Every structure is written in structure tokens, then in C-alpha cells.
Amino acid sequence: AQTVTQSQPEMSVQEAETVTLSCTYDTSESDYYLFWYKQPPSRQMILVIRQEAYKQQNATENRFSVNFQKAAKSFSLKISDSQLGDAAMYFCAYRSASGATNKLIFGTGTLLAVQP
Amino acid sequence: NAGVMQNPRHLVRRRGQEARLRCSPMKGHSHVYWYRQLPEEGLKFMVYLQKENIIDESGMPKERFSAEFPKEGPSILRIQQVVRGDSAAYFCASNDIGVSSYNEQFFGPGTRLTVL
């Protein structure tokens, strides 16, 4: 069974600085998708960025980018020029590309605080 | 285009009562997923439904929990004889398979269930 691990329960960053959130996963599959979701205090789940396992190029969305290391099964999220609105819980998630189910497997989350 | 709708947003039940949580997927989406988020934890997959069919219920507790997604109307997650351990946030997500390879799931705002 696949698992997702986020080893940093909490992180803090100064406004305008850069922070990296860690995520590792375990799978025997070769094709899959990885996601980072943001959950602000409103609890709404917001997709931040996504990556297909067969793509070697790291995904980028404005200030958000990932460092995808397939061999190491690592998928970290880098937030550049941090803003106060980035403060939230961040969840890493895995989805298999095969099989009948499309379920997402989530990590336990990292709570990011942004200091003014 | 309205997003995923869930109601009620907050639900309070006494032990032994029934809880019914509703989810209306995004327009055009025929696939619905339910996830549960216990306090201080990540989201855990419960069940995946397509119209009138349960595709994957591997995360659903064997007793007291059931889900349906009828041909007409919202998807319903039903919890019978609730216990305090059922207190959690329940999220619904929807998508339409095949639109993109990511099969991105769009989340609703969640229903927070409190069992007294």
C-alpha cells in the first residue's frame, strides 16, 4: 500500500523569504501523480501544484515550485517570496495512475506560519 | 460555475443519532469522493462513487457508515448511531474522468460533525 509522509508538523518563514516543505512517499508503482494542497483556516482544500511521475521537469506555478526526485521518492514544495496569505496547512497527496480507484492518499500535513 | 457544495456546513448530533451529509458535485461531474479529516490529522479516503455505483469503499468503516450517489440528487454520506469518535470534518470532492490526465479532484468546503 502507498503511504505519504510529511516529517515537518510545523514550519515558519519570514514574509518575502523562501521556505521548503518536505514530502516523501512509498510506492511500488512507476506511474502516479503527486499533489500539494493548501488548507487555510477556512478548511477549504485548494490545489496548489501537481506533478506527473513520468515527467522529469519539475512543476512550477508562479511562486510555487516542486523538487521531484523520483528515485528518492521525494516531492518537496518550495514557496518563494512568502506572503501572509500563504499561512495555512499544506498537504502532500499521492494518486495512482492505474487501477479503478482515483483516491488520493494524503500526508499528515505541515502547518506553515508566515511572520511579518 | 458553482463549485462542489456540501451541506450542512456544521452538524451537531447526540450519541446514537443519525447524521446525513450531502454533497452536490460540480456541474458535469459524475464522480464523487468522500474523505474524513479527524482533528490534527490529514484527510483519509472513505469511498468513491459514480452515479448509482460504489466504485471503491475500501476506506469506509464496516459498520454504521453508508454512502450513495443516486441518479438524481446529491451524494449522501450516512452515519448511523453516531459516536464521539465520529466527530470530524467530512469532505466531498468531485471530478470528471478523462478530461485531463490528472483527473483533478475539486473539493467542497466540508461538513464539520460534532457528536455530543
Side-chain angles (χ1 to χ4, degrees):
Chain A
Q2 296 85 15
T3 58
V4 176
T5 302
Q6 293 179 251
S7 58
Q8 306 156 317
E10 297 181 15
M11 291 283 284
S12 182
V13 64
Q14 290 292 131
E15 199 175 1
E17 297 294 308
T18 296
V19 65
T20 298
L21 308 184
S22 301
C23 173
T24 58
Y25 57 94
D26 188 27
T27 184
S28 58
E29 299 178 323
S30 59
D31 198 14
Y32 47 86
Y33 300 89
L34 296 165
F35 306 85
W36 277 98
Y37 280 88
K38 170 184 178 181
Q39 187 180 47
S42 67
R43 301 185 76 88
Q44 177 73 52
M45 294 290 285
I46 303 165
L47 179 64
V48 174
I49 199 165
R50 57 195 186 181
Q51 174 86 38
E52 295 181 76
Y54 69 84
K55 287 189 176 177
Q56 292 186 331
Q57 186 173 7
N58 290 323
T60 299
E61 288 287 343
N62 301 314
R63 297 182 296 106
F64 298 87
S65 61
V66 298
N67 183 6
F68 173 49
Q69 301 289 329
K70 191 172 184 180
K73 295 179 182 174
S74 171
F75 184 61
S76 60
L77 174 69
K78 185 171 85 171
I79 306 174
S80 304
D81 186 25
S82 297
Q83 300 175 359
L84 295 177
D86 294 333
M89 183 72 86
Y90 286 82
F91 291 101
C92 179
Y94 171 104
R95 182 176 72 77
S96 172
S98 62
T101 185
N102 289 291
K103 68 182 179 185
L104 291 167
I105 300 169
F106 287 89
T108 51
T110 296
L111 182 61
L112 177 66
V114 180
Q115 308 299 330
Chain B
N1 187 12
V4 179
M5 310 281 284
Q6 287 188 251
N7 67 81
R9 294 293 308 277
H10 300 274
L11 182 62
V12 179
R13 285 288 177 265
R14 296 192 180 278
R15 281 180 296 169
Q17 291 183 320
E18 178 179 287
R20 280 182 180 247
L21 288 63
R22 294 175 185 76
C23 169
S24 296
M26 281 182 69
K27 186 176 181 180
H29 288 182
S30 58
H31 299 255
V32 164
Y33 310 78
W34 286 94
Y35 295 84
R36 177 166 65 174
Q37 185 177 29
L38 293 170
E40 311 300 325
E41 294 188 12
L43 280 73
K44 293 278 187 351
F45 168 78
M46 298 181 75
V47 62
Y48 163 35
L49 309 101
Q50 195 178 354
K51 283 285 187 180
E52 299 184 275
N53 291 304
I54 295 175
I55 308 299
D56 181 358
E57 56 182 346
S58 60
M60 194 84 113
K62 299 298 181 197
E63 298 179 351
R64 303 188 297 108
F65 286 72
S66 62
E68 63 177 8
F69 188 17
K71 187 176 180 181
E72 301 291 337
S75 175
I76 306 286
L77 179 67
R78 181 182 178 205
I79 311 172
Q80 295 178 288
Q81 300 175 331
V82 296
V83 300
R84 288 217 174 103
D86 296 333
S87 294
Y90 292 82
F91 288 90
C92 169
S94 74
N95 65 3
D96 197 16
I97 303 299
V99 174
S100 80
S101 61
Y102 288 101
N103 291 332
E104 179 184 344
Q105 294 180 23
F106 295 84
F107 281 81
T111 293
R112 184 172 293 192
L113 172 66
T114 301
V115 179
L116 301 178

